[in-house]
Amino acid sequence: MAWHWESFVYAIVAFTVLYILLNKYAFGPLFGIMEKRRQQVLDQMKSAEQNRAEASRLLEDQKKAIQDTRKEAYELIEQARVTSVRQADDIIQQAKEESVRIKNDALKDIESEKNKAIIALRSQVSALSVMIASKIVEKQVDEKSQEELINHYLKEVGGKV
């Protein structure tokens, strides 16, 4: 096999022409499309990273909002509990004051009725004493009859009271 340099030159010229034509009409647009695709993928990756960062930020914001809401709810519950305890204490205090007032009024009423009863008893006793004395004076009796008369009038007074 002999080596033909003309064939070699023709092959190199043909290859160079083919390379120039392919580079101008095929590789240029192909590399352009590939570069656009690479840029599009980079843009999508950058956009995805930004979206992930935004989602992460929103998630943190939501967690903080939930935590703040829980804290507010706890504070409201605590405030309601304190208010209810205070109201219960106020109601109990009012009930105690009312019971003391009712008790004092009842004691005053009892004392008043007792004083009325004592006054009525004294007037009855004095009236009975006068009546007994007048009966004794009317009737001069011996000691035994006098004792019976006093017992009789005391029983009479005991029945009226």
Side-chain angles (χ1 to χ4, degrees), residues 17-30:
V17 170
L18 181 63
Y19 179 74
I20 290 171
L21 287 175
L22 282 175
N23 199 22
K24 184 175 185 179
Y25 295 110
F27 293 143
L30 183 62

Side-chain angles (χ1 to χ4, degrees), residues 33 82 100 144:
I33 290 171
V82 168
V100 167
K144 187 175 180 186

Side-chain angles (χ1 to χ4, degrees), residues 3 23 25 52 62-63 71 73-74 80 118 120 146 149 156:
W3 192 66
N23 199 22
Y25 295 110
R52 188 194 62 75
Q62 287 177 349
K63 284 180 180 179
K71 184 178 178 183
Y74 176 76
I118 289 173
Q146 188 175 357
L149 184 62
E156 206 176 292

Side-chain angles (χ1 to χ4, degrees), residues 59-75:
L59 181 63
E60 289 300 318
D61 289 348
Q62 287 177 349
K63 284 180 180 179
K64 186 174 185 249
I66 288 172
Q67 192 174 27
D68 291 345
T69 303
R70 283 182 180 159
K71 184 178 178 183
E72 288 176 19
Y74 176 76
E75 288 172 355

Side-chain angles (χ1 to χ4, degrees), residues 3 15 33 36 42 50 54 61 70 78 84 87 94-95 99 102-103 119-120 127 130 132 144-147 155:
W3 192 66
F15 181 75
I33 290 171
K36 284 181 184 176
L42 288 175
Q50 288 174 346
E54 179 70 16
D61 289 348
R70 283 182 180 159
E78 187 63 25
S84 66
Q87 286 177 345
Q94 288 174 355
S99 69
I102 290 172
K103 178 184 169 187
I119 291 170
V130 169
I132 289 173
K144 187 175 180 186
S145 333
Q146 188 175 357
E147 189 175 319
K155 283 181 187 176

